[in-house]
Each structure stands twice: as structure tokens, then as C-alpha cells.
Amino acid sequence: MLLGMAGSVPAPVTLVIGDEELLAERAVSVIVAAARAQDAGAEVHDLVGSKVTTGELTQLTSPSLFGDRTVVVVRSAHDLGKDVISEVISYARQPSDDVVLVLAHPGGVKGKALVDGVKKAGAAVVTVAKVTKPAERLEFVKAEFKRAGRGISGEAAQALLEAVGNDLRELAAACNQLMFDTQDKTITPTAVARYHKGRAEVTGFNVADSAVEGRLGEALEQLRWALGTGVAPVLLVSALAGGLRSIAKVAGAPRNLRGGQLASHLGMPPWKIDRVRRQVKGWGPEGLARAMQAVADADEQVKGGGADPAYALEHTVQVIVASRTGR
């Protein structure tokens, strides 16, 4: 889906329509990447529909004195006000050559005037279909590995679905983690069983989220359940490390970056940045350093340096939660 578009020239105005959030976000990201491939210095403005004011679009799409390209992304476009919708439709009839406008709309009745208007004006339309059928989710999993130049057997893909569940965000995260933790060109059912055995809703990501957010009891309960059902300790260590790395990246990001620029700089989708921003509260440099050292020690323990991986993981979770208020 849109995988080949990154090297093409994006349309002046594109409507991305559909309520499958992960795929819609990816579609928007591909269009932005295509625009930046044409002009690496393109300025990206990432807006939320409900906060766009009358005249703002006109200001952002005005010709640059230096001829620089501008990319304007409007998310939740169904929340645009009536006057702003009129402004967008009017602009779509005669768009600027130096601007790429992307409108993300979830579909439905709300904001239908915008959808009808920009379509009539000649905007390009990318429809993101809802993934509802088991076969479609299976293809999604296979496509995740293919994008990274890896493969996964049909049996392994099915096992991953059964272990993780149907949410596309969780599936995408699980695919990425599995590729990170294994070196095989093609993922096998054995690899999936090793890293994702256990309750679908209790994964290393859940343990990590609870720990970095300071919920000690919940984190330990999830950790013990995961270990008791066979989740590999190395997967849990990797998830804890990933959670802390994300916090460090977001906390250290330049404060002048917003929206798409921040997402591009960090290599994270906007939804993940929003979640990590909430997790950053309560963390300071010293506490983060202590937590990361504890995870590094646990990594050595679970890979043969210690006799009790479960104890090492529990101790690490306790250190992470205790370090959270550090400054």
C-alpha cells in the first residue's frame, strides 16, 4: 500500500480517507517522504483539524519568497470548521505548485462536505481500507516482514496473530521486535513461540509501559505471568530497553520541532511520540541513566551471566520504577 510512492512526485492535494489509523498514518508519511525527496529542505506543518483557524491555510500555502516547498498535513480533517472547509476546497481548485497539502479524514458523515468538495476539485484520493478479515491481517503481517527485506512462513504468521491479537499497532510492534531479536532471513513458528508465547495481552511492551509509568505492582504481575507462560526473558529485557530508549529520544529531542518534523527526526510515528511524551513526565537524566544501567545488567544476566533470569528481571523492574522520580 503506497510502498512505491516514496520516489514519485506527490499530488498538490491528497485526501487520505479511512479509519484504520496505523495505515492512514503510514499513507500520510509516505506522501510527506515523497515531498521531502523532491526537496530535502521542505518545511512540514503538521496540524490537527479542530485547531486550524480561518486564514491559517492561506497563510501556510502562500508562495515562499525563496521558492521553498511547503508540506501541510491536516489530521482529523473531519473536525475542520465550516469556514475552514470552504477555504480548503477553494484552495484545492487552484493549488500552489510549491505546496503539498495532505488531508487525513476517517470517513463517515462528519466533514463529508470537505471530502466531496476536494474530490470534485480534483484532489488525489488514497483510500485506506479497514482490515477486518483474518486473511487480511495475515497479509499485513507478511507485508511487515517483506518491507524489511525479511520473510515469515504462513504458519509463523498465523502463530504471531494468535499470540499478539488483532490490533494493527500491536502487530506492527511485535513484527519489529521479532525482526530485531532474530537473525533468520525467514521467521519460523519456533521463533514466534520462543518470543511471543503466552497471553496475547501480556507482552513485553505491556510490562515495559507499566514499569516506565511507575506502576510497580502491575508491572511485576504482568512480568510474572509472562514468565510463567513461557515468554522469553530476552524479549522482556528488549522491551524494557526499548521503552527507556524511546523516553530518552523524546526527552532529548529539539524543542523547536513539532508534528511531522519531530516524527521524522525521531523515526517514530506521531501516536507513539504522544504516548512517550506522557511517559517522560517524572523522568530525569540521572534516573534514566540508572534505569538503563539496570537493564544492561539484566541483559547480561538473562543471556547466561546469572543463575536466575526471573529475579534479575524483577529487580530491574523495581529499579526502573524507583528511578522514575530521579532528576
Side-chain angles (χ1 to χ4, degrees):
M1 184 177 298
L2 287 180
L3 294 181
M5 186 178 167
S8 63
V9 179
V13 181
T14 302
L15 173 68
V16 176
I17 188 165
D19 63 351
E20 192 68 80
E21 290 185 7
L22 175 65
L23 299 183
E25 287 174 3
R26 286 184 175 180
V28 171
S29 296
V30 168
I31 297 167
V32 173
R36 300 194 77 173
Q38 297 293 315
D39 182 355
E43 187 174 4
V44 180
H45 300 275
D46 206 313
L47 312 175
V48 178
S50 61
K51 296 182 179 180
V52 179
T53 58
T54 305
E56 187 172 3
L57 179 67
T58 300
Q59 180 181 356
L60 293 175
T61 56
S62 297
S64 168
L65 292 175
F66 305 101
D68 296 331
R69 174 163 288 199
T70 300
V71 181
V72 180
V73 177
V74 180
R75 303 181 191 274
S76 301
H78 61 298
D79 288 330
L80 289 170
K82 186 179 297 185
D83 291 342
V84 179
I85 288 177
S86 298
E87 186 179 348
V88 172
I89 294 172
S90 177
Y91 171 81
R93 295 191 185 107
Q94 291 185 308
S96 170
D97 293 334
D98 297 326
V99 177
V100 172
L101 173 63
V102 187
L103 305 162
H105 190 291
V109 176
K110 187 176 181 182
K112 190 172 183 299
L114 172 72
V115 173
D116 294 342
V118 295
K119 281 184 177 180
K120 189 175 180 180
V125 179
V126 176
T127 301
V128 179
K130 189 77 174 176
V131 177
T132 58
K133 299 177 181 178
E136 293 173 341
R137 285 190 285 270
L138 200 62
E139 286 304 312
F140 172 81
V141 169
K142 292 178 180 179
E144 289 296 286
F145 287 89
K146 186 176 181 180
R147 290 172 66 203
R150 304 278 289 277
I152 184 170
S153 70
E155 187 180 352
Q158 184 61 50
L160 189 61
L161 277 173
E162 292 173 358
V164 178
N166 296 329
D167 183 81
L168 290 195
R169 291 193 192 281
E170 290 295 328
L171 280 172
C175 290
N176 287 335
Q177 191 68 48
L178 194 54
M179 285 186 278
F180 179 81
D181 287 321
T182 61
Q183 302 301 317
D184 298 336
K185 183 71 174 176
T186 300
I187 304 299
T188 64
T190 302
V192 174
R194 183 165 64 247
Y195 289 102
H196 289 283
K197 186 178 178 183
R199 243 179 12 175
E201 64 271 27
V202 179
T203 65
F205 306 112
N206 298 123
V207 176
D209 283 342
S210 296
V212 300
E213 290 168 13
R215 293 179 274 119
L216 179 61
E218 187 175 327
L220 289 175
E221 181 183 359
Q222 291 173 333
L223 173 64
R224 289 162 186 160
W225 185 282
L227 290 171
T229 52
V231 177
V234 67
L235 173 65
L236 296 167
V237 171
S238 179
L240 290 169
L244 291 170
R245 282 196 300 267
S246 294
I247 288 173
K249 286 173 68 176
V250 171
R255 296 186 179 277
N256 62 324
L257 296 183
R258 294 288 186 275
Q261 289 178 311
L262 181 60
S264 177
H265 177 80
L266 295 177
M268 292 183 186
W271 66 265
K272 185 172 182 179
I273 294 174
D274 290 341
R275 187 181 70 186
V276 176
R277 272 177 170 162
R278 293 192 292 271
Q279 294 174 339
V280 165
K281 296 177 181 178
W283 280 102
E286 293 180 6
L288 198 55
R290 283 196 299 272
M292 287 181 167
Q293 182 59 54
V295 171
D297 293 341
D299 186 64
E300 181 181 354
Q301 294 282 312
V302 302
K303 290 180 178 176
D308 192 343
Y311 172 79
L313 280 164
E314 288 195 5
H315 176 69
T316 301
V317 167
Q318 291 170 341
V319 173
I320 289 173
V321 173
S323 301
R324 185 171 175 269
T325 54
R327 293 294 173 186

